[in-house]
Amino acid sequence: MVIATELCALSEHRIYPGNGKLFIRRDGKPVFLGSSKAYSLTLQRKKPSKLVWTQVWRRLNKKGISETTSKKRTRKTVKVQRAIVGASLEDIKKKASQKSDFRSAQRAAALKESKAKAKAAKATAKKTKKGPAASTHVKAPKFTKRANKGVTQR
């Protein structure tokens, strides 16, 4: 035979028929309290999480659960490669599979090419400028705060 039991609103202990009190709150919600102690503490508005003997406190402080729970299952992390802005996944994999000496040779060739471009640009700039008269930028005389105030410099 199954006995209908209630749970105490404060301590969460079982309340068997004929025991405890039924307290109706102002909002009309029925609250079952298992003992006069629980009733008194509820009227004082005590929090069950602060009372060491309640199930809420035991749950918060992880008491008495060591035998019920088994080993915690952990997930193994999976490495995923994703594309970066400006490089697709295939490009990244291709570069990773290349040997380092091949990459360094490519880098040296690119550097040589950029230096050649810079040299060519410098040469063309030199040809267009013919002496200091061709310069469009005229250097302005330097004025200091003293000179602006009318004081001569030594």
Side-chain angles (χ1 to χ4, degrees):
M1 178 172 137
V2 179
I3 300 170
T5 59
E6 298 289 339
L7 281 179
C8 177
L10 187 88
S11 65
E12 293 184 16
H13 291 128
R14 275 200 210 100
I15 306 170
Y16 290 96
N19 295 317
K21 285 186 176 182
L22 176 60
F23 176 68
I24 309 294
R25 285 200 319 212
R26 257 191 220 156
D27 62 356
K29 189 181 177 196
V31 177
F32 291 96
L33 298 161
S35 61
S36 58
K37 180 182 181 180
Y39 180 76
S40 173
L41 290 166
T42 304
L43 289 181
Q44 293 173 48
R45 297 181 187 268
K46 298 288 182 191
K47 291 182 182 171
S49 57
K50 303 273 184 188
L51 303 168
V52 181
W53 55 275
T54 61
Q55 290 300 315
V56 177
W57 185 90
R58 292 181 68 79
R59 216 180 2 261
L60 284 172
N61 292 284
K62 297 179 175 70
K63 305 292 178 192
I65 55 166
S66 59
E67 68 275 350
T68 56
T69 57
S70 59
K71 187 182 167 192
K72 209 174 199 180
R73 294 179 76 188
T74 55
R75 266 195 186 158
K76 197 172 185 181
T77 54
V78 182
K79 250 190 177 179
V80 178
Q81 276 194 325
R82 289 193 292 180
I84 305 168
V85 177
S88 66
L89 188 60
E90 290 81 31
D91 294 341
I92 294 168
K93 283 184 178 177
K94 199 185 293 178
K95 275 197 172 159
S97 64
Q98 289 173 350
K99 288 198 167 65
S100 61
D101 57 334
F102 176 74
R103 279 201 303 270
S104 60
Q106 261 188 336
R107 200 178 306 117
L111 188 66
K112 199 180 263 185
E113 187 181 316
S114 65
K115 278 185 180 177
K117 275 187 186 176
K119 203 172 190 181
K122 200 174 186 183
T124 56
K126 219 176 196 181
K127 283 182 184 175
T128 54
K129 285 186 184 178
K130 292 187 179 174
S135 176
T136 55
H137 180 67
V138 179
K139 195 172 186 181
K142 189 175 182 183
F143 289 106
T144 61
K145 285 185 179 178
R146 271 189 174 170
N148 289 341
K149 285 182 179 177
V151 181
T152 56
Q153 284 184 333
R154 294 180 199 179

